[in-house]
Amino acid sequence: MDVSAFPTNAVLSKDEWLKARLELLALEKEETRLRDKVRAARRALPWVRVDKDYVFDTPEGGKTLSDLFAGRSQLLIYHFMFGPDWSEGCVGCSFMADHFDGTLAHLNHHDVTLVAVSRGTLEQIEAYKARMNWQFPWVSSYATDFNHDYRVSFTQEEMQGETINYNFRDMPASEGFEELPGLSAFYRNEAGEIFHTYSTYARGPEEVIGTLMLLDRAPLGRNEDKTMSFLKRHDEYAAKPEQQASSCCH
């Protein structure tokens, strides 16, 4: 953590501090009302029927997208950056995934299933999952077009072009990666029809990362010079600097 820049906050009396805090509270309440408005608009977003068949490689064998719901009506898929030629998962996605296990019981009892999906092979996923000591469901989309269809994986041909389409816009291919992160939501009705209801990319899923939300309330905040520059995999903080990998999500 870089603390070289000493904080320059004013030091005030308790009464003066309270006045400044109340001004911030008004801004925080405005943020909360806007957040509620955004969430309502998100729930009201139109849906798209999913007619394409996908079969994912899982520890229990091949499973369809419908199977991933595990008997529930709602499915959240985290698009975890882990390509088929990678030796380990993305640092930023690993940070996100550190927050999943504690949510599972609550999500599942609220009729929501959470699954991570990567284009890496199941063998790669299982080995890395064991290293990280994670329990959440994580499956491979290696043999499907799923990642490409939901714009989180890109072909060599796309990467050699001028632009790729990510986060609902065209961006220079030179600024992207073959694998990028995201979060997608799906609904399955009683007839078994599946609908894509929402996707978010880049910093969109950031609110899911509770550690960042806590850091935002600490005196020095995230203390980063670029997005998550402080980050390491949770088993790498005690490693020597030359053994620590930077986040592929930066």
Side-chain angles (χ1 to χ4, degrees), residues 178-229:
E178 291 182 18
E179 309 290 334
L180 285 168
L183 180 72
S184 292
F186 300 87
Y187 179 78
R188 188 183 62 179
N189 64 19
E190 292 183 357
E193 298 172 305
I194 297 175
F195 303 88
H196 175 216
T197 66
Y198 178 73
S199 283
T200 185
Y201 304 99
R203 291 184 63 184
E206 192 173 85
E207 284 189 343
V208 177
I209 306 178
T211 302
L212 291 182
M213 301 301 104
L214 288 170
L215 285 175
D216 286 344
R217 287 154 178 80
L220 299 182
R222 302 184 189 187
N223 196 28
E224 56 188 9
D225 52 20
K226 56 182 179 179
T227 304
M228 296 194 294
S229 57

Side-chain angles (χ1 to χ4, degrees), residues 14-67:
K14 185 174 181 179
D15 288 343
E16 290 173 316
W17 179 89
L18 182 58
K19 179 181 178 182
R21 180 64 187 93
L22 288 173
E23 291 175 355
L24 175 59
L25 180 60
L27 189 61
E28 288 176 332
K29 288 184 175 182
E30 182 180 341
E31 178 189 33
T32 298
R33 289 190 290 269
L34 178 58
R35 190 168 64 239
D36 289 343
K37 183 177 180 180
V38 170
R39 288 170 175 168
R42 183 183 296 137
R43 291 191 300 272
L45 193 69
W47 296 354
V48 177
R49 189 189 308 274
V50 180
D51 293 320
K52 191 169 183 177
D53 292 328
Y54 300 100
V55 178
F56 302 88
D57 195 10
T58 86
E60 295 79 33
K63 287 189 176 182
T64 64
L65 182 62
S66 180
D67 292 331

Side-chain angles (χ1 to χ4, degrees), residues 11 18 23 28 69 73 77 102 109 121 149 222 231 233 236 243 245:
V11 177
L18 182 58
E23 291 175 355
E28 288 176 332
F69 282 79
S73 70
I77 287 183
H109 284 275
T121 66
D149 290 347
R222 302 184 189 187
L231 195 58
R233 296 176 182 87
E236 292 176 337
Q243 296 174 311

Side-chain angles (χ1 to χ4, degrees), residues 103-120:
T103 71
L104 295 180
H106 306 289
L107 290 173
N108 293 168
H109 284 275
H110 209 63
D111 195 32
V112 177
T113 296
L114 173 66
V115 179
V117 174
S118 297
R119 216 164 53 84

